[in-house]
Amino acid sequence: MQVTPELLSRFDLLKPLPRGALEQLAPHASLARFARRAVALQAGVREDKVCFLFEGRLQGVGFTIDGREVGLYFVEPGDFCGELALFDDNPQPEFVIATTAASVVYVARNPLREVMLNTSTVSNTIGRKLAERVRQMTMQRTLLGLSNIPQRVCGQLYLLINEAQRKAESSEIANPPTHMEIAIMLNLSRETVTRVFQALQSRRIVRRDGPSRLIVSDLASLRRFAQGEEEL
Amino acid sequence: MQVTPELLSRFDLLKPLPRGALEQLAPHASLARFARRAVALQAGVREDKVCFLFEGRLQGVGFTIDGREVGLYFVEPGDFCGELALFDDNPQPEFVIATTAASVVYVARNPLREVMLNTSTVSNTIGRKLAERVRQMTMQRTLLGLSNIPQRVCGQLYLLINEAQRKAESSEIANPPTHMEIAIMLNLSRETVTRVFQALQSRRIVRRDGPSRLIVSDLASLRRFAQGEEEL
DNA sequence: AAATTGACGTGACCGGAGTCACAATAGCTG
DNA sequence: CAGCTATTGTGACTCCGGTCACGTCAATTT
């Protein structure tokens, strides 16, 4: 489907671009819609496009040889993924799949690469993004090193809370990941995650409010569990 | 200690720079030597330098709250680390420590950043490096997802083998990591790694040749174990 | 309204990796 | 060479998270 320059300019990365650059990119962009669990980017192949998320939610996942799924990160609307293709010709390392119905804009790799090289704000943004991604993965890897499993779950939960909300007493997570999705990110079984949630709920630390809102009533306790100052 | 432009030009990243740029950087560079286990870059602080490894070996490591160590990657001579500081002002996510006695050249962040922004070959190299780092971390994360532990160790062992040597029947790893270091990278206990090595040695798949050489006699078998086609 | 699906909840059992406590080397260093 | 430290090797025991086998519940589908 055809993409207008206006649509492209709604993404933070492309917003600073002059009209001309957007018009140059638009013909190389296309819109796509995905159902839940559909694949937006393939692992192991040299993807020739970058994926901008318009609505819904995506997740980067890997698969081990034995078919186990490995959750890596989430992509929220306005953000993009598959940017590794802009740096070299090596294959995309992980799958990106839709965790909810989603609509995305694909932008062809080469024209975008041109724009990146000519526009310092774009290359800076992508550089920062990549750096942030490395930090994110490092934190995630550190979480996996925790041998106390409830602590691991609490740590993940704490990471899911917006930094802006960290200071408040209570907080809420909109569209929280399912237990299964959390389990996959933390190398745990779904049952274990459920049991930790049970414990947190019985202690009034978290509470569900409908399917799409998870309320953290006692953020301070959650932090203590996450930091191992207290045992679950 | 004072650093000459010649010394800087021995690093791949800086080699393509014109003489002038090197002379501009040299006053902002300093040499340092480290004993084993010394810290080259601090986690959690805004490091204002990038670390180029001259000799020895470094390792990026994290620490969980409970003091457990988390191995992330190795740095070999000629390579560099701490490059995240070039992209933003956020803190260095992981420690970098010396696994052997090492000598490094520190280059101040800001001048190097200037050079990077003005020299497309440098920014390209750093971009590729960062992209490669993300791929590396993704693979490592995938390894951690393996629930079959011997398979995990074999996978790591296989990753340690140079790509150039992958095709041959046998191969060797110079200065192999200790069992403890492998355990830390794979979230395992040292004993478990030892036991896997015992199994591999008794099957004549690997063999030690002195302290600094590990010989993989039967690469094909190792690969089969790594890919889960055969159980240890 | 019945049927299907996907998410969540829960108990019982079991295997395997961590832990602990050693021993045995192997390198280094004085 | 003696002594020290780091690394590797091994057994016994324990514990805890995975697996399996269910059940419940709400949301969609038909």
Side-chain angles (χ1 to χ4, degrees):
Chain A
M1 209 199 293
Q2 197 53 15
V3 171
T4 64
E6 285 72 29
L7 180 57
L8 291 182
S9 73
R10 296 178 64 168
F11 295 100
D12 284 344
L13 176 67
L14 306 176
K15 198 171 293 175
L17 286 178
R19 175 82 194 183
L22 291 174
E23 281 171 355
Q24 183 188 331
L25 281 179
H28 300 103
S30 64
L31 198 72
R33 303 193 136 273
F34 293 115
R36 179 171 165 70
R37 300 288 304 171
V39 176
L41 290 175
Q42 280 276 344
V45 307
R46 206 186 129 221
E47 287 283 1
D48 56 351
K49 49 190 190 281
V50 175
C51 178
F52 291 77
L53 178 60
F54 194 61
E55 52 185 9
R57 178 192 261 169
L58 306 180
Q59 184 181 23
V61 297
F63 287 93
T64 58
I65 326 282
D66 53 337
R68 180 191 287 269
E69 215 173 327
V70 172
L72 296 165
Y73 58 85
F74 290 110
V75 183
E76 304 291 341
D79 211 343
F80 58 92
C81 58
E83 71 280 5
L84 289 197
L86 297 173
F87 293 94
D88 57 32
D89 291 339
N90 291 340
Q92 168 74 9
E94 80 278 358
F95 288 88
V96 177
I97 63 179
T99 62
T100 70
S103 59
V104 307
V105 175
Y106 285 127
V107 179
R109 179 198 114 119
N110 288 336
L112 185 54
R113 187 175 149 81
E114 288 304 314
V115 167
M116 172 178 87
L117 294 178
N118 295 326
T119 318
S120 66
T121 68
V122 172
S123 54
N124 282 340
T125 302
I126 295 186
R128 276 199 305 276
K129 159 95 174 200
L130 215 46
E132 199 46 44
R133 173 116 170 252
V134 170
R135 289 206 180 82
Q136 202 75 31
M137 293 184 78
T138 304
M139 286 208 295
Q140 195 71 30
R141 174 65 182 82
T142 302
L143 264 189
L144 289 178
L146 291 170
S147 44
N148 183 317
I149 268 59
Q151 188 182 356
R152 199 139 111 198
V153 177
C154 293
Q156 178 73 68
L157 220 46
Y158 193 68
L159 281 186
L160 285 174
I161 295 171
N162 246 314
E163 285 192 35
Q165 304 192 340
R166 292 264 173 86
K167 292 148 201 154
E169 281 223 345
S170 70
S171 166
E172 59 178 72
I173 302 175
N175 300 311
T178 66
H179 293 181
M180 190 56 173
E181 284 166 348
I182 294 177
I184 286 170
M185 296 199 79
L186 298 178
N187 262 5
L188 298 172
S189 71
R190 199 261 316 160
E191 291 89 331
T192 301
V193 174
T194 297
R195 287 187 239 267
V196 174
F197 267 86
Q198 286 308 303
L200 288 175
Q201 274 163 7
S202 72
R203 293 178 189 226
R204 314 267 165 191
I205 294 175
V206 307
R207 174 165 48 92
R208 285 217 74 120
D209 178 40
S212 60
R213 269 167 40 115
L214 181 72
I215 297 180
V216 182
S217 346
D218 187 352
L219 203 70
S221 292
L222 181 66
R223 182 169 41 235
R224 281 205 307 282
F225 287 125
Q227 312 215 335
E229 298 166 16
E230 204 171 336
E231 290 259 333
L232 237 183
Chain B
M1 210 198 294
Q2 198 52 15
V3 172
T4 64
E6 286 71 29
L7 180 58
L8 291 181
S9 74
R10 296 178 63 170
F11 295 100
D12 283 346
L13 176 66
L14 306 176
K15 199 171 292 176
L17 286 179
R19 174 84 194 179
L22 292 174
E23 281 170 354
Q24 184 187 328
L25 282 180
H28 300 102
S30 63
L31 198 72
R33 303 192 138 274
F34 292 116
R36 180 172 164 69
R37 301 288 304 172
V39 176
L41 289 175
Q42 279 276 345
V45 308
R46 205 188 130 221
E47 286 283 0
D48 56 351
K49 50 192 190 281
V50 175
C51 177
F52 290 77
L53 178 60
F54 194 59
E55 50 185 9
R57 179 192 260 169
L58 306 179
Q59 185 181 23
V61 298
F63 286 93
T64 58
I65 326 284
D66 53 338
R68 179 191 288 271
E69 215 173 329
V70 173
L72 297 165
Y73 57 85
F74 290 111
V75 182
E76 304 292 341
D79 212 344
F80 57 92
C81 58
E83 72 280 5
L84 290 196
L86 297 173
F87 293 96
D88 57 33
D89 291 339
N90 291 339
Q92 169 73 8
E94 79 278 359
F95 289 88
V96 177
I97 62 179
T99 61
T100 70
S103 58
V104 308
V105 175
Y106 285 126
V107 179
R109 178 198 115 119
N110 288 337
L112 186 54
R113 187 177 150 80
E114 288 303 316
V115 167
M116 172 178 88
L117 294 179
N118 295 325
T119 317
S120 66
T121 68
V122 172
S123 54
N124 282 340
T125 303
I126 295 187
R128 275 200 307 275
K129 158 96 174 199
L130 216 46
E132 199 46 44
R133 172 116 171 252
V134 170
R135 287 205 182 82
Q136 203 75 31
M137 293 185 77
T138 303
M139 285 208 297
Q140 195 70 29
R141 172 67 182 81
T142 302
L143 264 190
L144 289 178
L146 291 170
S147 43
N148 183 317
I149 268 60
Q151 187 182 355
R152 203 190 284 181
V153 177
C154 293
Q156 178 72 68
L157 219 46
Y158 193 67
L159 281 187
L160 286 174
I161 295 172
N162 246 313
E163 287 192 34
Q165 304 192 340
R166 293 265 173 87
K167 292 148 201 155
E169 280 222 345
S170 70
S171 167
E172 60 177 69
I173 302 174
N175 300 312
T178 65
H179 292 180
M180 189 57 175
E181 285 167 347
I182 294 177
I184 286 170
M185 296 199 77
L186 297 178
N187 261 6
L188 299 172
S189 72
R190 199 263 314 160
E191 291 90 329
T192 300
V193 174
T194 297
R195 287 187 238 269
V196 174
F197 267 86
Q198 286 308 305
L200 289 175
Q201 274 163 9
S202 71
R203 294 179 188 224
R204 314 266 164 191
I205 294 173
V206 308
R207 174 164 49 93
R208 284 217 78 118
D209 178 38
S212 59
R213 269 167 39 114
L214 181 73
I215 297 180
V216 182
S217 345
D218 187 353
L219 202 73
S221 292
L222 181 67
R223 181 169 40 236
R224 282 206 306 284
F225 287 124
Q227 312 216 332
E229 297 166 15
E230 203 171 334
E231 289 259 334
L232 239 183

